[in-house]
Amino acid sequence: MFTKLSDQDIINLKNGELGHNIGKLIEIRDSFGKNNLFVDIGVEGGKSSRILLDNAIENNNHVCGIDPIKDPGISDILQNPNYIFLQKDSVASGKDWKYKKPNIVFIDSIHVKPQVLSELKYWWDITNIGGWLVFHDTEWGMKKEKDYYIHKSGHCCAGKRPGNTGLGYDFYAGKGWETPEYAIFDFFKIKELNIENDIIKSIHMPDSLGMTFIQKKKEYNYKSIINEKNWEIIESDRQSILKSFM
C-alpha cells in the first residue's frame, strides 16, 4: 500500500516528465495542512496521485483520482483508504460533483484545448476560494520555432517533441489541436501565464512540458463569458476527440 513518498521517489519524479515543477506542487499541498480533499484528473501511472496522497493518512487528507481508463496502473495507491478512484470522464465528474470542494485540482488528461476548456467549465466553480487548479503540459511549444520541448533521454519518445504527432501538438479526428495553455488563455481571458488580478494568481513553470498553477482568489462566472453556442461547439469537438480513444 502506498502511503508516503521516499526520497528516491521524489528524485525519480523530478527526473520524469513532471520534472522539478513538483516542488511547487508539494509546496502548495503542504500549505493546506490537514483535512483537505485534492483531485487528480488524468491518473494513468499515478505520479500526481502519489504526490497528492503523500502522508494523507497522517494529515487526514483525501485524494480523488478521476480517469476513464479501467486499469490506470495504481494498484498500490488503490489500497490506501484515503484514496477514491472514479473511473469516469472528468467533465461528467465535474458536472455531477456532490462531494466537498477540493483545495487542489490537478489536470493532466487529454492535452487538447476543447478537453481542458470543458474541464474548466465545471472544475473552476468546484474549487475552493484560495485553492489551486494545476495544469500539466502547458509548454509543448506549439506554434514556436525555437523554444520547444524535447522529450528527455529516458522517455520512449526521446528526442521528439511531445504529442502523438511528435511535433508539439496532438492530432485526433483528422485535426491538429491547440494545447492546454490555449484553454487557459481563453477561459480566463488572459494573454500570458504569469499574471495576477483580482480573481486569479497564475504562476507558470515552463520546464518539463510546462506546469501552470492558478489560484482562485474569488468567485467569478468565467463560463458565462463563452456563449452557449460556443460551448456546444467545444463539446462537439471534445466528443470527436474522445472517439479516438474508443
Side-chain angles (χ1 to χ4, degrees):
M1 177 177 75
F2 173 79
T3 58
K4 181 176 173 58
L5 289 171
S6 66
D7 291 343
Q8 187 60 51
D9 288 335
I10 293 174
I11 291 171
N12 292 341
L13 285 166
K14 287 182 176 179
N15 288 334
E17 293 303 310
L18 296 180
H20 287 264
N21 300 329
I22 69 166
K24 183 64 177 178
L25 180 58
I26 291 171
E27 174 191 321
I28 290 172
R29 180 204 68 198
D30 289 347
S31 72
F32 288 110
K34 299 183 177 182
N35 307 314
N36 299 283
L37 174 64
F38 305 135
V39 172
D40 184 22
I41 293 175
V43 172
E44 187 176 9
K47 294 177 181 178
S48 44
S49 282
R50 293 176 197 279
I51 294 169
L52 298 175
L53 194 60
D54 185 32
N55 284 325
I57 295 175
E58 177 183 336
N59 291 320
N60 194 36
N61 290 329
H62 290 78
V63 177
C64 179
I66 301 172
D67 202 306
I69 297 173
K70 184 176 181 180
D71 182 10
I74 56 168
S75 57
D76 58 333
I77 293 176
L78 293 174
Q79 296 174 41
N80 189 308
N82 287 34
Y83 191 84
I84 301 166
F85 178 64
L86 298 181
Q87 186 192 343
K88 191 173 181 180
D89 172 50
S90 56
V91 176
S93 297
K95 185 176 181 180
D96 300 336
W97 193 254
K98 297 179 175 65
Y99 309 102
K100 67 185 288 187
K101 289 192 170 188
N103 281 326
I104 297 175
V105 178
F106 188 88
I107 297 177
D108 188 9
S109 55
I110 304 173
H111 308 125
V112 296
K113 178 180 171 180
Q115 176 70 20
V116 179
L117 267 174
S118 298
E119 288 165 339
L120 277 166
K121 181 180 182 182
Y122 297 104
W123 288 100
W124 163 259
D125 290 339
I126 293 167
T127 302
N128 267 324
I129 294 175
W132 293 80
L133 293 105
V134 183
F135 305 83
H136 189 224
D137 295 281
T138 52
E139 190 73 32
W140 282 16
M142 183 185 185
K143 299 182 180 177
K144 299 178 184 177
E145 295 301 321
K146 295 181 180 180
D147 183 19
Y148 54 81
Y149 184 84
I150 296 292
H151 279 297
K152 297 175 182 178
S153 60
H155 193 274
C156 61
C157 297
K160 296 181 180 180
R161 297 177 71 174
N164 62 8
T165 61
L167 298 172
Y169 61 91
D170 275 334
F171 190 90
Y172 300 117
K175 180 179 178 180
W177 299 92
E178 289 183 310
T179 42
E181 65 267 35
Y182 293 93
I184 295 172
F185 293 145
D186 275 16
F187 187 81
F188 293 107
K189 303 304 176 190
I190 56 177
K191 295 182 179 180
E192 57 183 290
L193 295 176
N194 282 302
I195 192 170
E196 183 169 5
N197 54 38
D198 291 341
I199 306 165
I200 63 168
K201 177 180 181 179
S202 180
I203 300 169
H204 178 61
M205 303 179 74
D207 294 339
S208 299
L209 294 167
M211 195 174 289
T212 304
F213 304 79
I214 296 185
Q215 186 178 38
K216 181 177 181 177
K217 296 170 66 175
K218 69 178 184 179
E219 299 287 357
Y220 189 82
N221 189 8
Y222 277 112
K223 65 177 180 284
S224 68
I225 300 175
I226 299 175
N227 67 49
E228 196 56 41
K229 182 63 176 178
N230 284 340
W231 277 122
E232 290 174 6
I233 294 170
I234 291 165
E235 180 59 18
S236 177
D237 286 344
R238 191 179 83 89
Q239 290 301 323
S240 296
I241 294 162
L242 291 178
K243 288 177 183 177
S244 301
F245 295 85
M246 296 176 180

